[in-house]
Amino acid sequence: MDNISVFAAFAAGMLSFLSPCVFPLIPAYVSHLTGSSFQDGKLVVHRGKLIVQSLSFIVGFSLVFIAMGASASFIGRFFAQERDLIQKISGLLIIVFGLQMAGLLNLRLLMSGKTWEIKTNRSRGAIRSLLTGVAFSAGWSPCVGLALSSILLLAGSAETLWNGIGLLAVYSLGLGVPFLLISWLLTYSLQFMKKMNRWIPLLSKLNGCLLIGLGFLLFTGQLQKISAWLSQYTIWEINF
């Protein structure tokens, strides 16, 4: 799995987390998962319970995303003889998604999507948190869907099934690591969330630019060439 794809998948995951559809709602997500509440400007919950519930939630949406990656790669293998055409089509679509996310396009079709509704329930356990993660991944909001769809297109044009699975695992990692970190920080203070919200529109545009660049490299066939050149100057390489 080439280094640029790995970087793009992880960055897309992190920027998806920092999107207007997800980041401002993190306190509500964490409160729902743990059954806790905010007092004196911080989340009041046992940190051990917080870690277990957050990890279960992350595993839940990761399983679905990885399964999507496997499916995309499996379908792509049937069209291996048309890989050049698939890469060009995928590249164009990723560019469109990037333009939409950067605010340079406004296609209503790409803004339609499901939302995750928080329901009150007294049952709080690791299994429930895992299922909540599954529900979250199945009903992602539009701006997360654009980044995820782009990585799925990249997975569909990958050479092997494991490459596609690996890309979505890295994407899930990029989404899960900051979720775990922010969940932990919420037990200390909620103030940093207000400060971070100021940067959300800029980060959304940055995500769009990332996808535009990724789509252009995939469309022109330069993605693998640049990755091969960069691999000469790295001390490690991820292989699947």
Side-chain angles (χ1 to χ4, degrees):
M1 190 164 61
D2 58 81
N3 296 329
I4 290 183
S5 297
V6 171
F7 169 78
F10 187 80
M14 289 195 67
L15 291 171
S16 293
F17 174 81
L18 295 171
S19 68
C21 304
V22 175
F23 186 77
L25 301 178
I26 293 302
Y29 290 171
V30 178
S31 177
H32 169 69
L33 291 173
T34 59
S36 56
S37 60
F38 287 88
Q39 299 177 16
D40 299 324
K42 64 180 181 180
L43 182 69
V44 180
V45 64
H46 188 277
R47 292 191 176 96
K49 178 181 180 181
L50 174 69
I51 295 299
V52 171
Q53 303 294 64
S54 297
L55 286 175
S56 298
F57 177 73
I58 292 169
V59 170
F61 68 67
S62 297
L63 289 175
V64 177
F65 290 159
I66 291 172
M68 289 180 177
S71 300
S73 301
F74 185 74
I75 293 173
R77 292 177 66 184
F78 280 104
F79 301 95
Q81 67 275 13
E82 302 294 341
R83 187 168 301 278
D84 289 341
L85 177 60
I86 292 176
Q87 288 181 348
K88 290 186 180 300
I89 294 175
S90 298
L92 285 175
L93 289 174
I94 293 175
I95 291 173
V96 171
F97 293 161
L99 291 171
Q100 177 82 9
M101 188 169 294
L104 300 177
L105 282 181
N106 187 22
L107 303 177
R108 292 185 179 181
L109 177 63
L110 297 181
M111 292 306 296
S112 61
K114 301 177 181 178
T115 57
W116 180 53
E117 298 180 357
I118 299 176
K119 300 180 180 179
T120 57
N121 193 311
R122 292 299 179 183
S123 175
R124 313 287 177 184
I127 298 298
R128 176 173 173 77
S129 295
L130 186 145
L131 294 176
T132 303
V134 172
F136 168 76
S137 63
W140 65 82
S141 48
C143 55
V144 176
L146 292 175
L148 176 60
S149 297
S150 298
I151 303 303
L152 285 172
L153 287 171
L154 192 62
S157 62
E159 294 183 358
T160 68
L161 177 65
W162 290 108
N163 281 356
I165 293 175
L167 282 177
L168 269 297
V170 172
Y171 174 83
S172 299
L173 189 64
L175 190 60
V177 169
F179 180 87
L180 189 62
L181 176 61
I182 296 299
S183 298
W184 180 269
L185 291 177
L186 286 175
T187 62
Y188 292 95
S189 176
L190 188 60
Q191 291 300 317
F192 72 94
M193 292 285 297
K194 299 178 180 179
K195 295 179 180 180
M196 280 293 296
N197 280 331
R198 303 174 185 174
W199 296 94
I200 296 302
L202 177 61
L203 292 172
S204 181
K205 294 183 183 299
L206 179 61
N207 201 358
C209 293
L210 171 70
L211 297 183
I212 292 172
L214 179 64
F216 179 78
L217 290 176
L218 186 61
F219 178 81
T220 58
Q222 298 300 310
L223 185 62
Q224 293 182 343
K225 293 181 181 179
I226 295 177
S227 296
W229 179 75
L230 288 175
S231 66
Q232 304 176 42
Y233 303 96
T234 56
I235 59 176
W236 57 270
E237 186 173 355
I238 298 178
N239 295 306
F240 284 91

